[in-house]
Amino acid sequence: MKGKVVKNQRLNDKYFFLEIKSEEFVTQAHVGQFLMIKPGSQEYTHDPLLRRPLGVADVHDGKFNLVYMVVGKGTKLLSEFHEGGMIEFSAPLGNSFTLLENKRVALVAGGIGIAPVFWLAKTLKNRGCVVDLYYGGRTVDDVVLLEELKENTDHLIVTTDDGSAGIKGFVTLPFKENVETYDMVYACGPKPMLKTVSEICVNAEVPVEVSLDERMACGLGACLGCIIYLREGDEIVQKRCCVEGPVFDGAKIAW
Ligand code: FES
């Protein structure tokens, strides 16, 4: 698929916000899905390793949004797109979150894990849920779009490791204090955070879905570069994060 860049805005030293117009993509996308995006010009067309998996951060008015961090060659190229440029990407990939109605839910996001959580918060709020978002980062630069998030949640609890924004400490601490009040928990972020969130939920007997941010090369189930392990009964089975995920039952993952 191809779409036109509407904006590619720098949010701070690390993060960018990309808006792309594509009716075709928007009509197919579900909350929690991701895409593989081609970050640069023609000369990179045949370098699949440069295609980046990015979670869809929002969909509206025939456009969709991505939030990304510049971490290497691929995302650096992506940051150089200007308004009006044509950009190439896959169809929406992977599975999606379970969407509840009129429930009390917690969303836990760490760093760049905010991308799919943004769209999820908005969607659950529109479905009548009470949405509490626990959003953690290392520093103030790792917690972005706070005003927009406030508009789409009932409570926004921000934490940073160094205390430069919100409460000082890990995001799992304030979440743990309230876990028993929720009907469902959703999380996306670094693996240690997802593991802790899942363990807290299992102990409190609250269902939890996590979106895994595995390294992906093909995004299509072919390279097996994104294998994760799930418990099914007494067995441990392999799953491809890009096809069977990225959303999994956090209680079943063999961390
Ligand atoms: Fe290739 Fe998942 S990224 S199988």
Side-chain angles (χ1 to χ4, degrees), residues 36 215-227 240-243:
M36 300 295 287
R215 285 192 173 277
M216 294 182 192
C218 73
L220 299 169
C223 74
L224 305 185
C226 63
I227 294 292
R240 294 163 300 177
C241 190
C242 65
V243 176

Side-chain angles (χ1 to χ4, degrees), residues 136-154:
R138 283 193 193 144
T139 73
V140 65
D141 279 347
D142 296 299
V143 285
V144 296
L145 302 169
L146 297 183
E147 284 309 311
E148 294 84 348
L149 287 165
K150 253 183 221 163
E151 282 171 25
N152 289 295
T153 54
D154 291 279

Side-chain angles (χ1 to χ4, degrees), residues 150-220:
K150 253 183 221 163
E151 282 171 25
N152 289 295
T153 54
D154 291 279
H155 298 104
L156 172 62
I157 301 98
V158 174
T159 68
T160 48
D161 297 356
D162 66 356
S164 53
I167 305 166
K168 183 174 180 180
F170 288 156
V171 72
T172 44
L173 293 176
F175 162 67
K176 189 177 180 181
E177 286 171 19
N178 299 318
V179 61
E180 281 164 11
T181 66
Y182 299 114
D183 298 303
M184 177 85 175
V185 172
Y186 306 86
C188 185
K191 240 182 188 168
M193 185 204 89
L194 297 181
K195 179 173 185 275
T196 304
V197 168
S198 297
E199 286 168 354
I200 292 169
C201 291
V202 168
N203 286 336
E205 298 183 4
V206 176
V208 55
E209 286 188 348
V210 299
S211 174
L212 295 179
D213 187 15
E214 291 297 305
R215 285 192 173 277
M216 294 182 192
C218 73
L220 299 169

